[in-house]
Amino acid sequence: MCIVGPVHRGGADILRYSILSMRGHAMKIRSEVVGWLLAIGALFRPHFRAAFAFGVAINLLLLVSPLYMLQVYDRVLSSGSFDPLLWLTLIAVFLLGVYAAAEAGRRRISLLLASALEDHFAPKIFVRFESGQDGEPQLSADLQRLSRVTAVFQSGGVLALFDLPFAPLFLILLFILHPVLGLVGLAGSAMVFVMTARAEVAARAVSRSASSGQATALDFANGLIRQRSAMIAMGIVARAYGRWATLRERASALAMMAGDKEGRQAGVSRSLRQILQVLVLAVGAGLALGQWVSPGAIVASSILVARALAPIDQITGGWRQLVQAREAWLELAERFGDAVAAPSFTPLPRPDAVLTIDRLAVTVPGRDQPIIRPFSYRIAKGCRVAMIGPNGAGKSALLQTLAGVWLPGAGGVALGNRNLHAWPSRDRGPFIGYVPQDIELLPATVAENIARLEVRDTGDVIDAAQRCGAHDAILSLPKGYDTMVGPGGMALSRGQTQLVGLARAFYGDPVLLLLDEPTANLDPRTADATNAAIKAFSDGGGIVVTVTHDMRLVGDVDEILVIDGGSISVTTPKDYFADRAPKIHVVSKSVEA
């Protein structure tokens, strides 16, 4: 008794020390992982309140097993009566059934929270993708970040963080059973916390480098897909594999290094947890032999320490996933914290067919200096304009700026007196038909591609195809307009893809056609049909701006813009073809087309 007495007299100090110690460890974990969880909770309070309520119920119900053991060992066995055993068992089974329902409810809340995160960020990601604020689009990277955040909620791996605040409760109960048991549990928990933190810190930098290397290797492989034909024809595949293998080996070496560090730390951490449970049983047995605790406390203490360490065990197992989710969340919060998911706008009627370019400077994303210096120009209703110039002069860049894809470096563009770049794309899009130089079809049917993925009128789709001469080519496909194309669908030839892209541009009621090499992949007969369709469109009052090297198109326009050395000059087909060195006048302020 002379040994145990001081321990009991200092029980309040020990309990206070345990609470302060656990608080310090909790603050450390919060700074690394829990902080981002609290930030999410600030956005989705109802979900977090429900998850917390379920967590309270679940952790209280986890006390059923140790309390049941205490009652069985300390009362039922000593009384020798079956009735208490029966009633205790029925109550325990019922409460554990409630526990199962609460756990299922919390899992459901976690899934709903993952869905809420997607609903919150996905529209903002696509709005940013549409706005082109990043220069190079980061749609795939942003969606991967969002996926890493939602994955921890969908898998339930984040739920251990909801249980972590209740770990001190089980340690306090250990102190109540006996202060020595509490001290053993507290010391063991602190050691497991330290090992978990050390494992993450040791592998963090290497893991990031490994992830970056793996992403580089994947980007390199993705970049090969569109070059498959040329690579096979010129025997580049083996060398491309060697390049990819080198990138992959570097990433794999870093991943193995990180895995070795995490594996060693995880092994030590698991060993500590097993040793701790053995020590708690041994200490409990020793205290029971000295009649300082009851026999039921031996089993109860083992269950309590297991419950206290369970969240730590789960967090350790999913630590890398949690850290990756935290980093992804920080990036999403930085990029989209103040973004608006769906800016409101007032739908505008069909604009007048007048394109006004006012002191427009064209810049390429990533470059400060404009590739086309400021110029002014005006294209009236029913006019056809061709843009020509040497490779790299900026013709496609100017066309993308006129289409609203790229923001101007200076000045502005107006379609029917409406600022084209301030006009929401969803409202502006139906009035513009655009054919880029490299046409990519969406993973959908031909009809859905032509209809721009909207709920379509079949007649309008067929009319658009017929206007540009694509109808017969589409009918020759296995399922005609219902043929799946794009990634995962049927591979079309470049000419077939060009025709579907042209039909998409002509679909609906556009005011402005912006065409980048519209006849580049077409045979002469189909090219003539396309040229006739373009002429018919302009004769109907539309505006056509074409980037082309096809002299048939150049000779059938109203004016020609010559782009060279960052300057814009204007001439007519008659002057241009007179001697291929036409007398041209430089556009200064405004030229009426």
Side-chain angles (χ1 to χ4, degrees):
M1 296 298 293
C2 62
I3 297 175
V4 178
V7 175
H8 280 291
R9 285 195 298 270
D13 293 335
I14 293 172
L15 183 59
R16 188 181 303 108
Y17 170 79
S18 68
I19 294 173
L20 292 175
S21 178
M22 288 302 297
R23 179 184 177 186
H25 286 298
M27 291 297 292
K28 182 178 181 179
I29 293 295
R30 178 189 176 193
S31 65
E32 291 294 327
V33 175
V34 180
W36 70 268
L37 187 65
L38 296 178
I40 295 176
L43 287 176
F44 305 100
R45 293 185 187 278
H47 297 82
F48 266 62
R49 287 171 179 169
F52 180 78
F54 277 113
V56 171
I58 288 169
N59 282 275
L60 289 177
L61 290 168
L62 285 174
L63 298 175
V64 170
S65 293
L67 290 175
Y68 178 77
M69 292 299 179
L70 280 172
Q71 295 301 314
V72 168
Y73 277 93
D74 296 346
R75 294 192 179 184
V76 174
L77 294 182
S78 61
S79 67
S81 174
F82 284 96
D83 287 343
L85 178 62
L86 175 63
W87 285 107
L88 284 172
T89 302
L90 289 176
I91 293 172
V93 169
F94 170 76
L95 292 176
L96 292 175
V98 175
Y99 165 82
E103 185 64 43
R106 188 168 67 164
R107 290 273 179 172
R108 176 67 175 171
I109 293 296
S110 183
L111 292 172
L112 290 174
L113 184 53
S115 179
L117 278 165
E118 289 180 346
D119 293 340
H120 179 77
F121 279 107
K124 295 182 178 182
I125 289 173
F126 275 85
V127 167
R128 193 179 187 98
F129 168 72
E130 178 184 3
S131 68
Q133 298 177 27
D134 300 317
E136 286 295 323
Q138 297 190 33
L139 177 63
S140 178
D142 286 333
L143 290 176
Q144 287 177 359
R145 294 183 185 106
L146 178 59
S147 178
R148 285 198 295 270
V149 176
T150 58
V152 296
F153 290 94
Q154 292 169 341
S155 65
V158 76
L159 296 180
L161 295 175
F162 286 91
D163 292 330
L164 190 61
F166 297 97
L169 171 65
F170 299 105
L171 293 177
I172 290 171
L173 292 175
L174 276 175
F175 273 100
I176 292 175
L177 286 176
H178 196 279
V180 174
L181 291 173
L183 284 174
V184 172
L186 178 62
S189 299
M191 291 181 67
V192 172
F193 265 120
V194 170
M195 295 305 298
T196 300
R198 285 187 59 188
E200 195 278 330
V201 171
R204 177 186 296 177
V206 182
S207 295
R208 287 178 177 173
S209 298
S211 298
S212 177
Q214 291 168 350
T216 301
L218 182 61
D219 290 341
F220 179 80
N222 289 333
L224 302 178
I225 296 175
R226 294 177 59 185
Q227 307 299 323
R228 178 177 177 272
S229 299
M231 291 173 63
I232 293 174
M234 294 184 286
I236 305 176
V237 174
R239 291 191 292 275
Y241 167 75
R243 178 70 61 85
W244 175 84
T246 300
L247 295 172
R248 183 65 181 174
E249 285 172 4
R250 293 173 185 170
S252 296
L254 291 171
M256 186 174 295
M257 187 185 304
D260 286 342
K261 291 183 178 181
E262 290 178 347
R264 288 194 297 270
Q265 298 292 346
V268 173
S269 178
R270 291 190 181 95
S271 176
L272 281 175
R273 289 195 295 274
Q274 297 297 323
I275 292 172
L276 179 59
Q277 287 191 275
V278 169
L279 289 177
V280 168
L281 282 173
V283 171
L287 293 173
L289 289 174
Q291 297 184 351
W292 292 318
V293 298
S294 64
I298 302 175
V299 179
S301 62
S302 177
I303 295 174
L304 288 172
V305 75
R307 298 303 186 198
L309 293 177
I312 306 172
D313 191 18
Q314 295 170 14
I315 292 172
T316 303
W319 186 260
R320 178 180 291 187
Q321 187 183 30
L322 289 171
V323 171
Q324 289 176 345
R326 170 182 172 269
E327 292 175 351
W329 163 262
L330 293 176
E331 292 172 348
L332 288 174
E334 180 180 358
R335 288 171 57 78
F336 303 101
D338 299 327
V340 178
S344 60
F345 62 89
T346 301
L348 298 175
R350 192 173 191 271
D352 295 332
V354 178
L355 185 68
T356 305
I357 301 172
D358 183 22
R359 298 182 296 277
L360 176 68
V362 178
T363 58
V364 175
R367 287 181 54 178
D368 295 330
Q369 295 298 323
I371 60 173
I372 297 179
R373 291 186 287 275
F375 73 101
S376 297
Y377 190 61
R378 185 175 183 273
I379 307 176
K381 179 178 181 180
C383 287
R384 298 190 302 278
V385 177
M387 290 193 294
I388 62 174
N391 293 330
K395 303 183 298 296
S396 295
L398 174 55
L399 203 68
Q400 291 195 73
T401 304
L402 297 180
V405 179
W406 289 355
L407 296 174
V413 182
L415 180 60
N417 296 321
R418 300 173 195 170
N419 186 332
L420 193 139
H421 293 91
W423 191 358
S425 174
R426 284 174 294 168
D427 193 41
R428 179 192 69 215
F431 307 118
I432 296 178
Y434 175 52
V435 176
Q437 189 172 31
D438 296 316
I439 300 174
E440 296 287 346
L441 298 181
L442 299 169
T445 66
V446 170
E448 289 170 333
N449 270 278
I450 294 174
R452 310 180 184 188
L453 297 182
E454 70 176 3
V455 179
R456 64 192 186 281
D457 185 329
T458 304
D460 292 340
V461 172
I462 295 175
D463 177 66
Q466 289 175 332
R467 289 168 66 187
C468 66
H471 181 66
D472 292 339
I474 294 172
L475 290 181
S476 68
L477 298 175
K479 294 184 179 180
Y481 285 89
D482 295 321
T483 302
M484 289 293 298
V485 294
M490 179 181 176
L492 301 183
S493 69
R494 296 295 295 270
Q496 290 171 322
T497 302
Q498 188 89 13
L499 288 171
V500 175
L502 284 166
R504 181 173 62 187
F506 277 92
Y507 175 79
D509 190 24
V511 174
L512 173 65
L513 283 184
L514 301 169
L515 311 176
D516 199 341
E517 299 290 357
T519 60
N521 300 295
L522 304 180
D523 59 74
R525 183 177 63 86
T526 308
D528 289 339
T530 299
N531 192 19
I534 293 171
K535 188 175 186 303
F537 176 82
S538 64
D539 290 342
I543 299 172
V544 182
V545 180
T546 307
V547 172
T548 184
H549 291 94
D550 188 340
M551 291 299 106
R552 292 169 298 180
L553 293 180
V554 174
D556 200 17
V557 298
D558 298 296
E559 285 193 331
I560 302 173
L561 295 182
V562 182
I563 306 175
D564 193 9
S567 297
I568 300 286
S569 302
V570 64
T571 185
T572 63
K574 180 180 178 180
D575 292 337
Y576 180 77
F577 286 106
D579 55 2
R580 292 297 182 92
K583 296 179 180 179
I584 58 178
H585 60 277
V586 178
V587 178
S588 57
K589 292 186 176 180
S590 177
V591 177
E592 294 288 338

